[in-house]
Amino acid sequence: MPHKNLTPETVFKPSSPPGSEPVFAFANSEPLDCEQDQYKQLIKAELVRQRLPPAHLADRMQIPRPKLHKILKQNTPLSDTMRDRIFVELGIDEVRARFSVALLRDYRAYSEKSAFVAVESLKSFYLELKTCRRGSIDVDLRPAIIHEAARRAYDLLISHQERVIQNDQTLQA
């Protein structure tokens, strides 16, 4: 499907008969782990990315090394409290992690730029709504208007990024 034909409706439209696969299981054909296992995989991936041994993480968190080992490597449950503590210690964005695991059902999406942009957009939009910094929205907005506003915002973001990259290259030359 050409890029210009993509819309929020076509992206989220199931490609198979209703009920045969989850709507948000985009291109992931392999069997999915439960959310808890996906969070464990995300934590392990982040430990590798940061080149931090699990034992050092346990020391920083002041928990016994065998306890963390059992949680990450064996079938010991990962409690929400422990998960959140680990997220804080590793600097994992909780909202992006939940978006990747609970919505996209793939912990690997956490490291993708598209997940970062989507989550940061959702955060800023939510903050605008919550604080009503620009006034409240009193009319019903059609989805097409919201999608067009988001598209224009992304177009501005991309063009700004291109200008910044071009200026950096000019300054380096």
Side-chain angles (χ1 to χ4, degrees):
M1 179 179 296
H3 175 70
K4 63 184 174 185
N5 294 336
L6 286 178
T7 67
E9 289 78 20
T10 59
V11 169
F12 289 100
K13 184 178 181 182
S15 60
S16 58
S20 64
E21 85 177 57
V23 174
F24 291 106
F26 294 119
N28 196 350
S29 59
E30 61 200 43
L32 300 171
D33 294 330
C34 70
E35 283 187 16
Q36 190 172 101
D37 290 338
Q38 291 252 347
Y39 284 123
K40 288 180 183 183
Q41 293 296 324
L42 173 60
I43 291 166
K44 288 190 265 188
E46 191 61 21
L47 285 169
V48 169
R49 190 190 71 74
Q50 293 184 22
R51 297 186 179 124
L52 181 68
H56 291 181
L57 175 63
D59 293 345
R60 284 178 20 190
M61 295 179 64
Q62 299 178 346
I63 60 173
R65 290 178 175 190
K67 179 179 180 179
L68 185 62
H69 177 79
K70 287 178 183 176
I71 289 171
L72 295 179
K73 306 279 185 185
Q74 298 172 3
N75 290 333
T76 303
L78 173 64
S79 69
D80 291 347
T81 305
M82 179 62 72
R83 180 198 62 216
D84 294 345
R85 282 185 61 202
I86 293 171
F87 281 2
V88 168
E89 195 62 42
L90 292 176
I92 294 175
D93 182 330
E94 179 184 348
V95 177
R96 187 167 24 134
R98 289 176 189 249
F99 179 82
S100 300
V101 169
L103 187 62
L104 299 179
R105 302 181 70 192
D106 186 358
Y107 76 92
R108 295 169 293 196
Y110 179 85
S111 60
E112 295 176 7
K113 292 288 184 195
S114 57
F116 172 79
V117 171
V119 169
E120 290 304 314
S121 299
L122 290 172
K123 285 180 187 178
S124 63
F125 183 68
Y126 176 75
L127 185 62
E128 287 291 330
L129 289 177
K130 188 157 178 79
T131 61
C132 294
R133 282 192 250 171
R134 297 188 178 123
S136 62
I137 299 173
D138 295 326
V139 296
D140 289 333
L141 294 176
R142 292 179 297 165
I145 293 171
I146 296 168
H147 299 161
E148 180 63 19
R151 186 193 63 75
R152 289 182 184 187
Y154 287 124
D155 286 347
L156 283 171
L157 179 67
I158 297 298
S159 67
H160 175 70
Q161 176 180 288
E162 288 170 353
R163 283 193 308 270
V164 168
I165 291 171
Q166 192 173 40
N167 288 340
D168 283 349
Q169 290 171 348
T170 303
L171 289 174
Q172 291 175 0

